[in-house]
Amino acid sequence: MKILLVCAGGMSTSILMKKMETYWKENGEELEIKAVGLGEYQDVYQKYDIILVGPQVSYRMKEIKENTGLPADAIPSFDYAVANCPNIMKLARKLYAEK
């Protein structure tokens, strides 16, 4: 699965990205993941299956879906804040099934 993480500047999602990579690896899942800011996602989204958006930019969800045509959803605030990888993995799988 190839996941694009989008947040305001790409910094907070970079931290989450590292935790997700570790969690996926521990669970024997293959994952390619990249964290980018809002200004960058349109340049790279073609290489990804789904988009997960940080809660701080969830107000741009409609625009992101329209611009990319990819399954996308916002990560719930609590899951994002505590890097709840099991819940984020469930959300990613749900989106991937819509692809």
Side-chain angles (χ1 to χ4, degrees):
M1 184 182 320
K2 296 180 180 177
I3 301 172
L4 184 62
L5 287 173
V6 179
C7 75
M11 297 303 286
S12 58
T13 48
S14 292
I15 296 164
L16 179 62
M17 178 183 76
K18 299 283 186 220
K19 291 182 180 189
M20 288 173 66
E21 285 173 331
T22 301
Y23 180 80
W24 255 261
K25 190 179 277 187
E26 288 170 356
N27 285 278
E29 302 263 350
E30 234 180 272
L31 171 72
E32 184 178 319
I33 189 166
K34 180 176 175 100
V36 298
L38 275 172
E40 203 180 338
Y41 80 90
Q42 290 189 47
D43 299 331
V44 297
Y45 77 88
Q46 302 88 342
K47 300 173 187 169
Y48 297 89
D49 300 316
I50 64 169
I51 298 175
L52 291 176
V53 178
Q56 69 274 38
V57 294
S58 60
Y59 68 95
R60 302 276 296 268
M61 181 59 62
K62 183 179 178 203
E63 170 196 328
I64 291 168
K65 285 181 177 181
E66 288 173 356
N67 288 341
T68 66
L70 291 176
D73 205 348
I75 300 169
S77 297
F78 182 77
D79 291 339
Y80 187 85
V82 299
N84 187 335
C85 291
N87 281 356
I88 296 169
M89 183 183 235
K90 285 178 197 167
L91 177 60
R93 283 195 180 122
K94 179 180 149 279
L95 289 172
Y96 190 73
E98 295 173 10
K99 191 175 163 285

